[in-house]
Amino acid sequence: MECSVTVHNGTLLQEEQNLYIKRATENYGKQPTHMDIIIDGEYVNIDYTFAKEPFERIRRITGYLVGTMDRFNNGKRAEERDRVKHSL
């Protein structure tokens, strides 16, 4: 995935932009999809945009927080199947 960079209030060499991308990747564990670099004298402010992470639903089933019941053994599956579901 390529990161697009927008520089405000000045210019930066491509090498320096690549170093900012590398730093963000090391600090956050993933590469940004876009960076806004705002030059303020000797300082720079950087705004990162990352790709959206998939959302996994977590539920409480028989006292455990789970996303799926894939790792439940037969006893836990039977407990889930036999539970009383309350309605409002």
Side-chain angles (χ1 to χ4, degrees):
M1 179 180 355
E2 194 65 30
C3 177
S4 63
V5 177
T6 304
V7 179
H8 303 276
N9 302 331
T11 59
L12 287 177
L13 296 173
Q14 185 63 43
E15 294 173 2
E16 193 169 359
Q17 292 177 24
N18 292 341
L19 288 174
Y20 284 126
I21 293 170
K22 180 180 176 186
R23 179 177 178 269
T25 304
E26 290 172 355
N27 286 346
Y28 296 104
K30 54 188 173 183
Q31 185 174 353
T33 56
H34 181 75
M35 288 176 55
D36 283 314
I37 301 175
I38 303 163
I39 299 174
D40 184 18
E42 294 182 12
Y43 301 98
V44 294
N45 296 317
I46 304 173
D47 182 31
Y48 303 106
T49 304
F50 294 98
K52 295 188 187 266
E53 298 277 334
F55 179 79
E56 181 180 340
R57 180 179 174 199
I58 296 178
R59 304 176 292 169
R60 180 178 297 276
I61 299 176
T62 68
Y64 295 93
L65 292 175
V66 296
T68 63
M69 297 188 320
D70 296 344
R71 298 178 56 194
F72 277 13
N73 63 18
N74 291 340
K76 224 10 127 175
R77 288 178 194 269
E79 185 178 337
E80 190 276 330
R81 185 182 62 242
D82 297 340
R83 71 185 172 142
V84 175
K85 296 177 179 148
H86 302 281
S87 62
L88 295 176

